[in-house]
PDB file of all heavy atoms in Angstrom:
ATOM      1  N   VAL A   1      89.376 123.211  87.659  1.00 76.00           N
ATOM      2  CA  VAL A   1      90.600 123.270  88.462  1.00 76.00           C
ATOM      3  C   VAL A   1      91.730 123.716  87.587  1.00 76.00           C
ATOM      4  O   VAL A   1      92.514 124.531  87.892  1.00 76.00           O
ATOM      5  CB  VAL A   1      90.815 122.050  89.232  1.00 76.00           C
ATOM      6  CG1 VAL A   1      92.200 122.105  89.824  1.00 76.00           C
ATOM      7  CG2 VAL A   1      89.727 121.873  90.319  1.00 76.00           C
ATOM      8  N   ARG A   2      91.811 123.064  86.350  1.00 75.00           N
ATOM      9  CA  ARG A   2      92.892 123.341  85.487  1.00 75.00           C
ATOM     10  C   ARG A   2      92.962 124.928  85.013  1.00 75.00           C
ATOM     11  O   ARG A   2      94.027 125.524  85.073  1.00 75.00           O
ATOM     12  CB  ARG A   2      92.805 122.446  84.258  1.00 75.00           C
ATOM     13  CG  ARG A   2      94.063 122.445  83.460  1.00 75.00           C
ATOM     14  CD  ARG A   2      93.967 121.342  82.336  1.00 75.00           C
ATOM     15  NE  ARG A   2      93.704 120.030  82.918  1.00 75.00           N
ATOM     16  CZ  ARG A   2      92.768 119.187  82.510  1.00 75.00           C
ATOM     17  NH1 ARG A   2      91.947 119.547  81.562  1.00 75.00           N
ATOM     18  NH2 ARG A   2      92.666 117.992  83.081  1.00 75.00           N
ATOM     19  N   TRP A   3      91.733 125.449  84.675  1.00 74.00           N
ATOM     20  CA  TRP A   3      91.610 126.780  84.246  1.00 74.00           C
ATOM     21  C   TRP A   3      91.937 127.713  85.440  1.00 74.00           C
ATOM     22  O   TRP A   3      92.548 128.747  85.272  1.00 74.00           O
ATOM     23  CB  TRP A   3      90.264 127.051  83.689  1.00 74.00           C
ATOM     24  CG  TRP A   3      90.114 126.649  82.275  1.00 74.00           C
ATOM     25  CD1 TRP A   3      89.464 125.623  81.700  1.00 74.00           C
ATOM     26  CD2 TRP A   3      90.736 127.304  81.121  1.00 74.00           C
ATOM     27  NE1 TRP A   3      89.568 125.576  80.400  1.00 74.00           N
ATOM     28  CE2 TRP A   3      90.383 126.623  79.978  1.00 74.00           C
ATOM     29  CE3 TRP A   3      91.527 128.475  80.977  1.00 74.00           C
ATOM     30  CZ2 TRP A   3      90.710 126.993  78.740  1.00 74.00           C
ATOM     31  CZ3 TRP A   3      91.883 128.806  79.658  1.00 74.00           C
ATOM     32  CH2 TRP A   3      91.573 128.147  78.623  1.00 74.00           C
ATOM     33  N   ALA A   4      91.508 127.398  86.592  1.00 78.00           N
ATOM     34  CA  ALA A   4      91.696 128.229  87.859  1.00 78.00           C
ATOM     35  C   ALA A   4      93.218 128.292  88.175  1.00 78.00           C
ATOM     36  O   ALA A   4      93.685 129.440  88.466  1.00 78.00           O
ATOM     37  CB  ALA A   4      90.922 127.684  89.017  1.00 78.00           C
ATOM     38  N   ILE A   5      93.884 127.262  88.046  1.00 78.00           N
ATOM     39  CA  ILE A   5      95.360 127.211  88.239  1.00 78.00           C
ATOM     40  C   ILE A   5      96.047 128.114  87.291  1.00 78.00           C
ATOM     41  O   ILE A   5      96.936 128.843  87.654  1.00 78.00           O
ATOM     42  CB  ILE A   5      95.838 125.773  88.233  1.00 78.00           C
ATOM     43  CG1 ILE A   5      95.341 124.924  89.320  1.00 78.00           C
ATOM     44  CG2 ILE A   5      97.393 125.741  88.289  1.00 78.00           C
ATOM     45  CD1 ILE A   5      95.632 123.417  89.169  1.00 78.00           C
ATOM     46  N   ILE A   6      95.698 128.008  86.074  1.00 78.00           N
ATOM     47  CA  ILE A   6      96.305 128.881  85.003  1.00 78.00           C
ATOM     48  C   ILE A   6      96.020 130.351  85.256  1.00 78.00           C
ATOM     49  O   ILE A   6      96.894 131.199  85.188  1.00 78.00           O
ATOM     50  CB  ILE A   6      95.863 128.466  83.650  1.00 78.00           C
ATOM     51  CG1 ILE A   6      96.330 127.060  83.313  1.00 78.00           C
ATOM     52  CG2 ILE A   6      96.384 129.409  82.555  1.00 78.00           C
ATOM     53  CD1 ILE A   6      95.771 126.476  82.043  1.00 78.00           C
ATOM     54  N   VAL A   7      94.772 130.725  85.538  1.00 76.00           N
ATOM     55  CA  VAL A   7      94.420 132.058  85.882  1.00 76.00           C
ATOM     56  C   VAL A   7      95.226 132.631  87.051  1.00 76.00           C
ATOM     57  O   VAL A   7      95.700 133.690  87.076  1.00 76.00           O
ATOM     58  CB  VAL A   7      92.889 132.240  86.093  1.00 76.00           C
ATOM     59  CG1 VAL A   7      92.538 133.576  86.517  1.00 76.00           C
ATOM     60  CG2 VAL A   7      92.199 131.955  84.770  1.00 76.00           C
ATOM     61  N   ILE A   8      95.244 131.804  88.160  1.00 79.00           N
ATOM     62  CA  ILE A   8      95.921 132.319  89.377  1.00 79.00           C
ATOM     63  C   ILE A   8      97.410 132.542  89.020  1.00 79.00           C
ATOM     64  O   ILE A   8      97.985 133.501  89.496  1.00 79.00           O
ATOM     65  CB  ILE A   8      95.810 131.237  90.462  1.00 79.00           C
ATOM     66  CG1 ILE A   8      94.273 131.199  90.934  1.00 79.00           C
ATOM     67  CG2 ILE A   8      96.722 131.501  91.582  1.00 79.00           C
ATOM     68  CD1 ILE A   8      94.013 130.056  91.873  1.00 79.00           C
ATOM     69  N   ALA A   9      98.025 131.692  88.260  1.00 76.00           N
ATOM     70  CA  ALA A   9      99.400 131.784  87.881  1.00 76.00           C
ATOM     71  C   ALA A   9      99.675 133.089  87.094  1.00 76.00           C
ATOM     72  O   ALA A   9     100.617 133.841  87.422  1.00 76.00           O
ATOM     73  CB  ALA A   9      99.950 130.631  87.072  1.00 76.00           C
ATOM     74  N   VAL A  10      98.794 133.401  86.189  1.00 76.00           N
ATOM     75  CA  VAL A  10      98.941 134.596  85.391  1.00 76.00           C
ATOM     76  C   VAL A  10      98.812 135.883  86.272  1.00 76.00           C
ATOM     77  O   VAL A  10      99.561 136.849  86.169  1.00 76.00           O
ATOM     78  CB  VAL A  10      97.857 134.625  84.245  1.00 76.00           C
ATOM     79  CG1 VAL A  10      97.879 136.012  83.552  1.00 76.00           C
ATOM     80  CG2 VAL A  10      98.154 133.526  83.260  1.00 76.00           C
ATOM     81  N   ILE A  11      97.781 135.834  87.120  1.00 73.00           N
ATOM     82  CA  ILE A  11      97.519 136.986  88.093  1.00 73.00           C
ATOM     83  C   ILE A  11      98.722 137.150  88.975  1.00 73.00           C
ATOM     84  O   ILE A  11      99.221 138.324  89.241  1.00 73.00           O
ATOM     85  CB  ILE A  11      96.267 136.790  88.860  1.00 73.00           C
ATOM     86  CG1 ILE A  11      95.032 136.859  87.945  1.00 73.00           C
ATOM     87  CG2 ILE A  11      96.260 137.820  89.940  1.00 73.00           C
ATOM     88  CD1 ILE A  11      93.732 136.499  88.655  1.00 73.00           C
ATOM     89  N   TRP A  12      99.301 136.039  89.515  1.00 73.00           N
ATOM     90  CA  TRP A  12     100.553 136.141  90.358  1.00 73.00           C
ATOM     91  C   TRP A  12     101.662 136.807  89.686  1.00 73.00           C
ATOM     92  O   TRP A  12     102.396 137.693  90.266  1.00 73.00           O
ATOM     93  CB  TRP A  12     100.879 134.724  90.905  1.00 73.00           C
ATOM     94  CG  TRP A  12     102.144 134.752  91.730  1.00 73.00           C
ATOM     95  CD1 TRP A  12     102.156 135.128  93.050  1.00 73.00           C
ATOM     96  CD2 TRP A  12     103.447 134.401  91.364  1.00 73.00           C
ATOM     97  NE1 TRP A  12     103.480 134.994  93.451  1.00 73.00           N
ATOM     98  CE2 TRP A  12     104.219 134.589  92.515  1.00 73.00           C
ATOM     99  CE3 TRP A  12     104.054 133.989  90.216  1.00 73.00           C
ATOM    100  CZ2 TRP A  12     105.654 134.329  92.412  1.00 73.00           C
ATOM    101  CZ3 TRP A  12     105.415 133.694  90.118  1.00 73.00           C
ATOM    102  CH2 TRP A  12     106.137 133.842  91.219  1.00 73.00           C
ATOM    103  N   VAL A  13     101.907 136.481  88.386  1.00 71.00           N
ATOM    104  CA  VAL A  13     103.032 137.033  87.676  1.00 71.00           C
ATOM    105  C   VAL A  13     102.702 138.520  87.503  1.00 71.00           C
ATOM    106  O   VAL A  13     103.583 139.378  87.657  1.00 71.00           O
ATOM    107  CB  VAL A  13     103.200 136.392  86.253  1.00 71.00           C
ATOM    108  CG1 VAL A  13     104.170 137.066  85.451  1.00 71.00           C
ATOM    109  CG2 VAL A  13     103.668 134.928  86.511  1.00 71.00           C
ATOM    110  N   LEU A  14     101.509 138.911  87.072  1.00 69.00           N
ATOM    111  CA  LEU A  14     101.250 140.376  86.848  1.00 69.00           C
ATOM    112  C   LEU A  14     101.328 141.219  88.081  1.00 69.00           C
ATOM    113  O   LEU A  14     101.850 142.276  88.035  1.00 69.00           O
ATOM    114  CB  LEU A  14      99.693 140.447  86.304  1.00 69.00           C
ATOM    115  CG  LEU A  14      99.466 139.973  84.959  1.00 69.00           C
ATOM    116  CD1 LEU A  14      98.017 140.086  84.569  1.00 69.00           C
ATOM    117  CD2 LEU A  14     100.357 140.690  83.890  1.00 69.00           C
ATOM    118  N   VAL A  15     100.966 140.655  89.204  1.00 69.00           N
ATOM    119  CA  VAL A  15     101.070 141.412  90.492  1.00 69.00           C
ATOM    120  C   VAL A  15     102.521 141.462  91.073  1.00 69.00           C
ATOM    121  O   VAL A  15     102.920 142.430  91.673  1.00 69.00           O
ATOM    122  CB  VAL A  15     100.097 140.802  91.548  1.00 69.00           C
ATOM    123  CG1 VAL A  15     100.295 141.522  92.933  1.00 69.00           C
ATOM    124  CG2 VAL A  15      98.671 141.002  91.080  1.00 69.00           C
ATOM    125  N   SER A  16     103.206 140.355  90.949  1.00 70.00           N
ATOM    126  CA  SER A  16     104.548 140.254  91.503  1.00 70.00           C
ATOM    127  C   SER A  16     105.621 140.893  90.758  1.00 70.00           C
ATOM    128  O   SER A  16     106.624 141.417  91.345  1.00 70.00           O
ATOM    129  CB  SER A  16     104.871 138.675  91.746  1.00 70.00           C
ATOM    130  OG  SER A  16     104.034 138.058  92.555  1.00 70.00           O
ATOM    131  N   ALA A  17     105.555 140.930  89.436  1.00 66.00           N
ATOM    132  CA  ALA A  17     106.617 141.602  88.634  1.00 66.00           C
ATOM    133  C   ALA A  17     106.520 143.010  88.771  1.00 66.00           C
ATOM    134  O   ALA A  17     105.426 143.635  88.577  1.00 66.00           O
ATOM    135  CB  ALA A  17     106.543 141.044  87.211  1.00 66.00           C
ATOM    136  N   GLU A  18     107.593 143.729  88.958  1.00 65.00           N
ATOM    137  CA  GLU A  18     107.649 145.160  89.075  1.00 65.00           C
ATOM    138  C   GLU A  18     107.216 145.889  87.713  1.00 65.00           C
ATOM    139  O   GLU A  18     106.561 146.901  87.723  1.00 65.00           O
ATOM    140  CB  GLU A  18     108.975 145.674  89.442  1.00 65.00           C
ATOM    141  CG  GLU A  18     109.125 147.152  89.850  1.00 65.00           C
ATOM    142  CD  GLU A  18     110.481 147.590  90.308  1.00 65.00           C
ATOM    143  OE1 GLU A  18     111.349 146.647  90.456  1.00 65.00           O
ATOM    144  OE2 GLU A  18     110.675 148.791  90.445  1.00 65.00           O
ATOM    145  N   ALA A  19     107.604 145.182  86.669  1.00 58.00           N
ATOM    146  CA  ALA A  19     107.224 145.717  85.338  1.00 58.00           C
ATOM    147  C   ALA A  19     105.675 145.743  85.020  1.00 58.00           C
ATOM    148  O   ALA A  19     105.241 146.611  84.273  1.00 58.00           O
ATOM    149  CB  ALA A  19     107.949 144.935  84.191  1.00 58.00           C
ATOM    150  N   THR A  20     105.015 144.840  85.752  1.00 60.00           N
ATOM    151  CA  THR A  20     103.532 144.861  85.521  1.00 60.00           C
ATOM    152  C   THR A  20     102.718 145.113  86.773  1.00 60.00           C
ATOM    153  O   THR A  20     101.473 144.921  86.787  1.00 60.00           O
ATOM    154  CB  THR A  20     103.189 143.366  84.958  1.00 60.00           C
ATOM    155  OG1 THR A  20     103.585 142.446  85.863  1.00 60.00           O
ATOM    156  CG2 THR A  20     103.782 143.195  83.628  1.00 60.00           C
ATOM    157  N   THR A  21     103.388 145.583  87.845  1.00 60.00           N
ATOM    158  CA  THR A  21     102.668 145.857  89.076  1.00 60.00           C
ATOM    159  C   THR A  21     101.600 146.851  88.893  1.00 60.00           C
ATOM    160  O   THR A  21     100.463 146.734  89.355  1.00 60.00           O
ATOM    161  CB  THR A  21     103.725 146.336  90.112  1.00 60.00           C
ATOM    162  OG1 THR A  21     104.640 145.315  90.354  1.00 60.00           O
ATOM    163  CG2 THR A  21     102.937 146.626  91.481  1.00 60.00           C
ATOM    164  N   ASN A  22     101.909 147.914  88.239  1.00 58.00           N
ATOM    165  CA  ASN A  22     100.861 148.991  87.989  1.00 58.00           C
ATOM    166  C   ASN A  22      99.727 148.501  87.220  1.00 58.00           C
ATOM    167  O   ASN A  22      98.578 148.834  87.529  1.00 58.00           O
ATOM    168  CB  ASN A  22     101.553 150.135  87.341  1.00 58.00           C
ATOM    169  CG  ASN A  22     102.518 150.919  88.227  1.00 58.00           C
ATOM    170  OD1 ASN A  22     102.407 150.902  89.447  1.00 58.00           O
ATOM    171  ND2 ASN A  22     103.525 151.517  87.525  1.00 58.00           N
ATOM    172  N   PHE A  23     100.074 147.689  86.189  1.00 54.00           N
ATOM    173  CA  PHE A  23      98.907 147.079  85.373  1.00 54.00           C
ATOM    174  C   PHE A  23      98.063 146.156  86.233  1.00 54.00           C
ATOM    175  O   PHE A  23      96.929 146.250  86.098  1.00 54.00           O
ATOM    176  CB  PHE A  23      99.551 146.347  84.203  1.00 54.00           C
ATOM    177  CG  PHE A  23      98.499 145.596  83.399  1.00 54.00           C
ATOM    178  CD1 PHE A  23      97.698 146.304  82.443  1.00 54.00           C
ATOM    179  CD2 PHE A  23      98.323 144.248  83.518  1.00 54.00           C
ATOM    180  CE1 PHE A  23      96.782 145.648  81.785  1.00 54.00           C
ATOM    181  CE2 PHE A  23      97.455 143.533  82.799  1.00 54.00           C
ATOM    182  CZ  PHE A  23      96.607 144.294  81.844  1.00 54.00           C
ATOM    183  N   GLY A  24      98.692 145.473  87.080  1.00 53.00           N
ATOM    184  CA  GLY A  24      97.967 144.521  87.994  1.00 53.00           C
ATOM    185  C   GLY A  24      97.107 145.307  88.918  1.00 53.00           C
ATOM    186  O   GLY A  24      95.953 144.946  89.193  1.00 53.00           O
ATOM    187  N   LYS A  25      97.662 146.417  89.489  1.00 53.00           N
ATOM    188  CA  LYS A  25      96.799 147.209  90.379  1.00 53.00           C
ATOM    189  C   LYS A  25      95.670 147.822  89.691  1.00 53.00           C
ATOM    190  O   LYS A  25      94.490 147.845  90.149  1.00 53.00           O
ATOM    191  CB  LYS A  25      97.677 148.297  91.038  1.00 53.00           C
ATOM    192  CG  LYS A  25      98.662 147.815  91.964  1.00 53.00           C
ATOM    193  CD  LYS A  25      99.568 149.009  92.543  1.00 53.00           C
ATOM    194  CE  LYS A  25     100.540 148.485  93.612  1.00 53.00           C
ATOM    195  NZ  LYS A  25     101.412 149.600  94.081  1.00 53.00           N
ATOM    196  N   VAL A  26      95.872 148.371  88.505  1.00 53.00           N
ATOM    197  CA  VAL A  26      94.747 148.907  87.653  1.00 53.00           C
ATOM    198  C   VAL A  26      93.767 147.804  87.384  1.00 53.00           C
ATOM    199  O   VAL A  26      92.564 148.062  87.428  1.00 53.00           O
ATOM    200  CB  VAL A  26      95.299 149.503  86.427  1.00 53.00           C
ATOM    201  CG1 VAL A  26      94.101 149.945  85.539  1.00 53.00           C
ATOM    202  CG2 VAL A  26      96.225 150.784  86.729  1.00 53.00           C
ATOM    203  N   LEU A  27      94.225 146.675  87.124  1.00 54.00           N
ATOM    204  CA  LEU A  27      93.310 145.538  86.784  1.00 54.00           C
ATOM    205  C   LEU A  27      92.396 145.274  87.926  1.00 54.00           C
ATOM    206  O   LEU A  27      91.169 145.122  87.795  1.00 54.00           O
ATOM    207  CB  LEU A  27      94.108 144.376  86.402  1.00 54.00           C
ATOM    208  CG  LEU A  27      93.330 143.020  85.983  1.00 54.00           C
ATOM    209  CD1 LEU A  27      92.610 143.260  84.677  1.00 54.00           C
ATOM    210  CD2 LEU A  27      94.298 141.889  85.852  1.00 54.00           C
ATOM    211  N   PHE A  28      92.995 145.149  89.142  1.00 54.00           N
ATOM    212  CA  PHE A  28      92.187 144.921  90.340  1.00 54.00           C
ATOM    213  C   PHE A  28      91.373 146.052  90.743  1.00 54.00           C
ATOM    214  O   PHE A  28      90.206 145.854  91.310  1.00 54.00           O
ATOM    215  CB  PHE A  28      93.031 144.404  91.437  1.00 54.00           C
ATOM    216  CG  PHE A  28      93.551 143.035  91.285  1.00 54.00           C
ATOM    217  CD1 PHE A  28      94.861 142.801  90.914  1.00 54.00           C
ATOM    218  CD2 PHE A  28      92.640 141.919  91.488  1.00 54.00           C
ATOM    219  CE1 PHE A  28      95.297 141.508  90.783  1.00 54.00           C
ATOM    220  CE2 PHE A  28      93.154 140.656  91.277  1.00 54.00           C
ATOM    221  CZ  PHE A  28      94.436 140.416  90.898  1.00 54.00           C
TER     222      PHE A  28
END
């Protein structure tokens, strides 16, 4: 659960921030 929470938080930042949105889209 601890690792899952950290991973979800990182993904949320990558997808939500405009600076990393493209990177997040490419990632998914």
Side-chain angles (χ1 to χ4, degrees):
V1 169
R2 194 172 301 133
W3 278 106
I5 291 170
I6 294 172
V7 170
I8 291 172
V10 171
I11 292 174
W12 178 77
V13 172
L14 291 176
V15 174
S16 300
E18 189 177 353
T20 56
T21 300
N22 293 332
F23 175 75
K25 289 180 179 179
V26 172
L27 181 66
F28 284 105

